[in-house]
Every structure is written in C-alpha cells, then in structure tokens.
Amino acid sequence: MNVLFSNPPWHQPVPPGERSWRGVRAGSRWPHQFEYVSAGEVNGHIPELIGGYIPFPIWLATATALAKQHGHDAQARDSVASGETYESFYAHVARRQPDVVVIETSTPTLKHDIAVVERIRQDVPHVKVVFVGMHHEIEEPWFLDRYPQVDYCVYGEYEHSTIALLDLLDGRTQVDLADIGGLVWRKDGAGVANPFGKLVPLEGLPWAERDDLPMLNYYDGVCGLERPQLQLMATRGCPYGCTFCGWPQMLYRGPKYRIRTAEDVAAEIKHNLTKIPYKSFYIDDDTVNIKKDYILQLARTIKDAGLDSIRWGTMGRADLMDEEMIAALKEAGLFSIKYGVETADQDLLNEIKKNIKISEVIEGVELTKRAGVKVHLTFTFGLPSDTPETIENTIQLACRLPVDTVQFSITTPYPGTKMYDQYKANGWLLHENWDEYLGSHRAVSRTANFTAEQLEDAVKSAYARFWEEQALRRVRTPQFEQGLRDAIAAVAEPGAPVAVMQSARPGLTRVIVASLKDNGYEPHVFTHARFLASFQTVLPDSQIHTFESPFDFRHEALADRAAEVAAAVPFVAAVVPYHNATGANYGEVHQVAGALTGGPVLGVTVDGDILPQVGLPGRTTPTLTPAAV
C-alpha cells in the first residue's frame, strides 16, 4: 500500500520582507510558533522556516519504519523541518497519489490540518486519511461525524495500531476494525471509538526512518550543542503524575516507563553516524534518569562504543540525579541536561503532582553543575495557586541557581490533561479556540490571582531579569574586563570604534557595551530594529545601526547593510555575544561581523569567556555551522 506519513507545513505565508509566524508540530511536547521574516521561496522551500529548535518526529518516523517492515510503500515527509511551502507539499502529494495519508495533528493545528486534508482530496479523491497525534478530540466517536474529511483516527501511542490498520486496509490480515486498540472508525455511518490497547515493548519497534527526512535540520540546542544533531529516544514514559504533562497522559495513557537496551541505543547512534557526521546527539526522553542502573549502563555503553567524544544532551529530573550517575554521564560525553522545576514553591509543586522537593531540585542542579555539565531549567507561571509572591520567589530562584539557560512559559492547560479539566471546572479558560493553545507566549487561561495579561507580562519580566542578572554576574567581573581590554588593546587604541552584534539577550550585549565604554572605546551596536529601545538608554542613536530585514543574521541578506555601516564607521574590531557557552551555530553572525571590520572578531559567551578571532577564514577557531540567530 502506498502510504504517506506527513508532518504538513505549518506557517503563515506572507510576501518577502513581512513578519509572520512558523510552527513546530510533530515531535514537540508543546506545539508552538516562532516569528520569521522571509526573503522569498527557493525551490519550493523557505530558508527562514528552518534553523533553531526543530524536534525530530519520532513517532511518525518510527511508524514509517514499521510500515516498511510490513511491506508497505511508505514515505515520511516532514514539511515543517524542511521549510517546505504549501504549494510544493501539495504538488508532491499529487505526484505520489498515496492510498493513505497519515497526518500527525495537534491541538493548535487541528483546524489547519483539516483544511490541509480538504486540499489534498482535490488532487487525490480516493485517499484514506488517518489522524494521529496529541489532540483529545480525536479519541471521541463524534470526531468523525464532525469532520467527514477524516476516515480514521488512532489515539495514544499510535505506531502499532496504525500499521495494523494499514495491513487490514491492504488485505494483509483478517483483523476486525473493532480489535485495533485506540482506533476511531465508522460503523454503519457513525463513529466508533475502540478502547486503547496495550503499550508494546520498545524492542518491538524498529529504529526510526530517517532516509527521507531533512536530517541536517533537526536541532535542540540545549546550552550550546552543535548541529547537525541526531535526535532519538532511549526510554519512553514517566511514572510521575504531573497534571500538566501531555505525553504521559495522552500518548502513553498512564505512568508506564519502558526502556530500550543500552546496546541498541548506542548501535542506532553509530549506524546514523555512518551516514551523517553529526556533531551532537540529543536523547529526547520524558525523564531519562528514572532508573539508576539503566543510566549507569547507558553511560558505560556510550563510552565503550567510542561515542563519548561527541557532545550530547538529554532531559531528566534533578532530584533523581546523584554523584555516581552524573559522573558516569559526564564521562560518557554528556554536555547538557534539561530539568523541569516549574516553581520555587513547594505547595504548588505538590498541587500539580510534580512529586518533587524543591530542596532536592536545588541540590541536583548544583551537583550537575559541579560535575561540569551545563543545565537548562524550565519554569511556568500561572499554576493554579500561583501568587505574586510565588512568581517572585521563582524568578529569584532562577536568577540565583548556577544554571546556563532557562525557559519561562505561561501555564497552558493542554486539552486532555488533568490540568485542563481543573481549569475548565474553575472557569479559568478564556476560550477553547484550539489555534491559541500554543504553550508559549500567549495565555489561554487566567487563575484566581492573575489575568492573562499579567501572566504574559510576568514571563517577559522574568526573562529580562534573568539574563540581566546572568550577564552582570558572569560578565561584569574584573577578570572579564581585563580579558576584553587585553583583546581589544592588541589591535586598537582607546577611543577607536568597536562593533557589537546584538546576537544574544540584550542584557549581555548591554554589559559588553558598558565594558567597552569604561575601557575608553567607542562601542556601536548592530541590531535588528526590534531591539532599538534596549540600547537607546546607553548609546546615542548615531552608535546604533539597525536593520529591518531579515529577522536574523543572514549574511547574504545583510551584506549591503553591513557594507554601508562599515563605509561610515572604521571599526577596528567586532564583538559577537553568544546565547550559549560555546559559540556553536553562530557562523552567519561571524560573517556579518567580519563584513563590518577588518580587525578581529571576538566572541563572548554567556559564561564571560572570550573566544578570540572566531569563525572567519584564516582565523583560529573550531568549525561552527552557519545558522540564523
């Protein structure tokens, strides 16, 4: 059977130069959107739709591999990760003429994806459409009544049930539709929802299909991991009961935790390294460090396989980490880890069933940092009993902990979770327009103590305070001042103009500008216009050079503007602030900085390290893959 497994395009097409949004869907715990500005289409793709965070669609790719094992003519197509235009996507579907299209949908993309199906049916009238993914309504019998464009839904962890359906449609088995777990189908014209089946052991699943996917584009940059990056899972599930977490509640249907053998994980990494020279890998597990024995075995196996020379990252729980585990992981090449904290308030942690003690979180974070592993923490504002005091305490904790990066988000009660039921019962939901349930910068609910606008403002304030505090603590030091002074003094006299790229958080850039001023130099900032206000209080307008397009630092698009500024100001050097600790993926910024000056280009990391003469031909530097910032 001819089957297309699809993560369709999800962006708002606009004319070149106009600001718009792009989204990530399949593979993401929280489908959400980013801003972008396009310079135009190139061969059916929009280059500005890629770069930055793009998750690997693990379920879609694994289902594709399983379908191939069963003899189907299956293809995975990730239009989000490839930056594909709608026109190119529909043209591909029309050429392929699939018998079945499997679409991984989500709550904020549901209406969009229904429209995609309607367009597909114009070119492939005979196609059967299967919806899978994380949206609570696809579990309901009435869903097929409301959306006749869809033929079947498979809810929960969907790989095996989807292939069972394909085998039945192809006449390969005599299994009855009523016997396929998690299937929603039509009987006598009415929707029927089967109970969810059992989760299969992970050894019963093949390695994810990657040959048809844009493997150079998947990336989770946790604290400076480099691209290209391989993403995979070693375990699935989490035995804890966080009321807000979607995957355990909606995909795994409970607290079951399953592991792959450490040998199989290492073998998959080594196999993929024979195809692409990945510079990092990311184990995208729900909570990787549930079982200590497994972590020690995984670390040992990664090291024995010679994979410890590659930086990698993962996600776990800070309270479960101990000295033996973190030492083994560090020795195996672990570079960074994500920990979910959510709030500094113990009562709130208990309320959302996090089953974690804040004192143990702090201990785990400090332990991890002492081992030399970089830490990313996640926090959320708008939990049920949040107050101004709990949010203030959370911001203070984030600023105080020895971490590298953070994420502050607005609590989004994702439909299908216990938290959603609680917020709906309390009358806190602002609406049920699924398009807005993005889990990022827009609030879709309030609480007893906060309006939606107050929560949005709290996130903005938290980010500003955290990065300002980090910059002051790490960079505003006598050691940094001396290092920057020595680096600039080697090529220029005091009073000379120095270009500073606004390529990290504005707080870090402002500290660098202040240091240059204090050392007697004339700093100029080269920045996108959206950051103009951040520098008008510290520099005259004549020393702030803005651009409107592109939205990021793409050298080709900024070459003319950089040449114009360079002709007006004889810069002796340029400084590139990094949002990470290594300067990874700043190649495009380096090129723009090099176009501004004939002198050295210095990198300044979030840790206050100065990397001299980076990223330009003939200058000493580790190889940095170009990427937009």
Side-chain angles (χ1 to χ4, degrees):
M1 180 169 284
N2 181 350
V3 187
L4 178 65
F5 290 85
S6 174
N7 184 22
W10 183 32
H11 62 272
Q12 183 182 47
V14 295
E18 292 189 13
R19 187 177 299 188
S20 187
W21 57 261
R22 64 180 180 93
V24 294
R25 176 202 294 102
S28 174
R29 289 171 177 79
W30 297 98
H32 56 283
Q33 296 170 352
F34 306 89
E35 286 188 305
Y36 84 99
V37 175
S38 172
E41 172 191 342
V42 180
N43 297 324
H45 295 76
I46 299 174
E48 292 81 8
L49 293 180
I50 61 176
Y53 172 69
I54 298 181
F56 181 71
I58 186 70
W59 281 274
L60 205 66
T62 305
T64 304
L66 190 61
K68 287 186 174 183
Q69 279 191 352
H70 282 233
H72 297 285
D73 178 14
Q75 179 192 44
R77 192 171 187 87
D78 191 345
S79 302
V80 168
S82 68
E84 186 172 33
T85 65
Y86 288 91
E87 292 78 9
S88 174
F89 169 72
Y90 292 130
H92 175 80
V93 175
R95 288 192 301 270
R96 184 171 176 90
Q97 289 290 304
D99 301 309
V100 178
V101 172
V102 179
I103 292 178
E104 183 167 319
T105 191
S106 68
T107 292
T109 68
L110 178 69
K111 295 177 185 177
H112 167 278
D113 297 340
I114 291 293
V116 167
V117 171
E118 292 173 348
R119 177 63 181 78
I120 287 174
R121 288 193 178 278
Q122 295 178 21
D123 296 320
V124 193
H126 69 275
V127 72
K128 297 291 185 184
V129 175
V130 182
F131 265 26
V132 297
M134 200 169 71
H135 180 61
H136 69 304
E137 290 178 334
I138 70 172
E139 305 176 20
E140 303 295 338
W142 54 257
F143 184 86
L144 297 182
D145 301 330
R146 180 178 296 178
Y147 298 108
Q149 306 93 328
V150 180
D151 297 289
Y152 303 95
C153 298
V154 181
Y155 65 90
E157 189 176 85
Y158 61 80
E159 293 111 326
H160 269 280
S161 292
T162 300
I163 306 312
L165 173 63
L166 296 178
D167 288 348
L168 186 152
L169 294 176
D170 203 31
R172 296 168 182 263
T173 66
Q174 301 303 312
V175 174
D176 192 272
L177 286 170
D179 296 327
I180 299 176
L183 178 69
V184 182
W185 52 291
R186 291 186 177 92
K187 181 178 182 180
D188 300 327
V192 176
N194 296 344
F196 182 72
K198 293 182 179 180
L199 294 172
V200 301
L202 295 188
E203 56 265 28
L205 292 170
W207 292 346
E209 169 65 35
R210 300 179 190 269
D211 290 345
D212 293 325
L213 295 171
M215 293 308 302
L216 296 179
N217 295 347
Y218 297 109
Y219 183 62
D220 191 323
V222 198
C223 302
L225 288 174
E226 291 190 77
R227 52 160 54 93
Q229 180 186 84
L230 175 70
Q231 296 180 15
L232 70 161
M233 295 183 80
T235 71
R236 288 189 186 181
C238 180
Y240 295 91
C242 301
T243 61
F244 59 84
C245 197
W247 281 9
Q249 295 183 68
M250 300 177 68
L251 292 182
Y252 311 129
R253 320 300 296 184
K256 189 172 182 180
Y257 177 74
R258 294 164 293 157
I259 62 174
R260 296 169 58 189
T261 67
E263 291 76 16
D264 190 51
V265 174
E268 183 180 8
I269 296 170
K270 292 192 73 172
H271 170 76
N272 282 285
L273 283 169
T274 65
K275 298 183 176 183
I276 296 174
Y278 292 105
K279 293 185 178 181
S280 70
F281 61 90
Y282 181 66
I283 297 179
D284 193 13
D285 290 9
D286 305 88
T287 313
V288 74
N289 60 334
I290 295 293
K291 295 183 177 180
K292 179 176 178 177
D293 289 347
Y294 178 71
I295 285 298
L296 296 179
Q297 182 184 13
L298 181 64
R300 184 168 54 250
T301 304
I302 288 174
K303 188 175 188 301
D304 291 346
L307 299 171
D308 55 311
S309 61
I310 304 173
R311 287 175 169 174
W312 59 282
T314 190
M315 180 159 57
R317 281 177 62 111
D319 63 323
L320 297 181
M321 197 62 76
D322 65 21
E323 289 188 5
E324 187 179 8
M325 272 196 287
I326 196 62
L329 290 167
K330 173 66 175 177
E331 190 174 352
L334 182 68
F335 175 77
S336 57
I337 189 167
K338 295 179 182 179
Y339 291 137
V341 181
E342 322 316 340
T343 176
D345 188 84
Q346 187 62 53
D347 290 337
L348 274 177
L349 290 171
N350 298 340
E351 183 178 32
I352 61 175
K353 311 299 182 185
K354 184 78 176 179
N355 292 313
I356 200 168
K357 292 182 179 179
I358 193 63
S359 60
E360 294 177 353
V361 170
I362 295 170
E363 183 180 347
V365 169
E366 293 174 342
L367 176 73
T368 303
K369 285 296 293 181
R370 285 198 302 269
V373 175
K374 298 188 179 301
V375 175
H376 172 89
L377 300 182
T378 61
F379 301 91
T380 184
F381 299 154
L383 295 172
S385 298
D386 247 330
T387 66
E389 291 75 23
T390 61
I391 286 182
E392 174 60 26
N393 291 338
T394 298
I395 296 173
Q396 289 184 16
L397 176 66
C399 292
R400 186 173 71 248
L401 285 173
V403 301
D404 297 273
T405 57
V406 296
Q407 173 186 308
F408 297 107
S409 62
I410 301 168
T411 301
T412 299
Y414 204 90
T417 65
K418 293 176 182 178
M419 179 169 280
Y420 173 83
D421 294 339
Q422 177 186 8
Y423 280 50
K424 185 169 184 176
N426 288 343
W428 291 347
L429 299 180
L430 302 183
H431 56 74
E432 291 187 330
N433 176 10
W434 302 141
D435 295 358
E436 299 293 324
Y437 279 65
L438 296 164
S440 49
H441 59 282
R442 290 198 295 271
V444 296
S445 63
R446 62 176 182 85
T447 68
N449 297 317
F450 291 100
T451 66
E453 292 76 15
Q454 287 171 328
L455 292 173
E456 292 168 1
D457 289 342
V459 166
K460 294 175 185 176
S461 174
Y463 271 124
R465 287 175 57 185
F466 175 83
W467 287 112
E468 198 80 26
E469 177 67 24
Q470 293 294 84
L472 290 171
R473 185 171 64 189
R474 298 177 182 180
V475 181
R476 195 69 162 171
T477 65
Q479 294 81 3
F480 172 76
E481 298 278 353
Q482 185 64 50
L484 184 61
R485 181 163 54 246
D486 291 346
I488 299 294
V491 295
E493 296 292 328
V498 177
V500 183
M501 316 300 285
Q502 170 40 36
S503 51
R505 295 284 178 177
L508 175 57
T509 309
R510 284 196 296 269
V511 169
I512 293 170
V513 166
S515 294
L516 289 170
K517 289 172 66 176
D518 290 348
N519 284 310
Y521 292 94
E522 181 187 296
H524 291 241
V525 173
F526 190 75
T527 177
H528 190 277
R530 68 186 187 278
F531 296 115
L532 175 61
S534 296
F535 301 103
Q536 287 182 313
T537 58
V538 295
L539 288 174
D541 287 349
S542 60
Q543 290 174 227
I544 306 173
H545 309 278
T546 63
F547 57 89
E548 295 282 353
S549 180
F551 201 66
D552 46 32
F553 283 93
R554 294 179 188 270
H555 174 250
E556 184 177 356
L558 286 173
D560 290 343
R561 176 59 177 151
E564 177 186 356
V565 174
V569 184
F571 295 115
V572 297
V575 180
V576 178
Y578 296 143
H579 185 55
N580 57 51
T582 64
N585 310 305
Y586 269 70
E588 294 276 349
V589 188
H590 296 155
Q591 292 185 64
V592 176
L596 288 171
T597 179
V601 175
L602 309 175
V604 176
T605 74
V606 292
D607 293 329
D609 295 326
I610 298 173
L611 306 182
Q613 302 187 20
V614 297
L616 296 170
R619 303 183 183 185
T620 303
T621 178
T623 301
L624 300 177
T625 306
V629 175

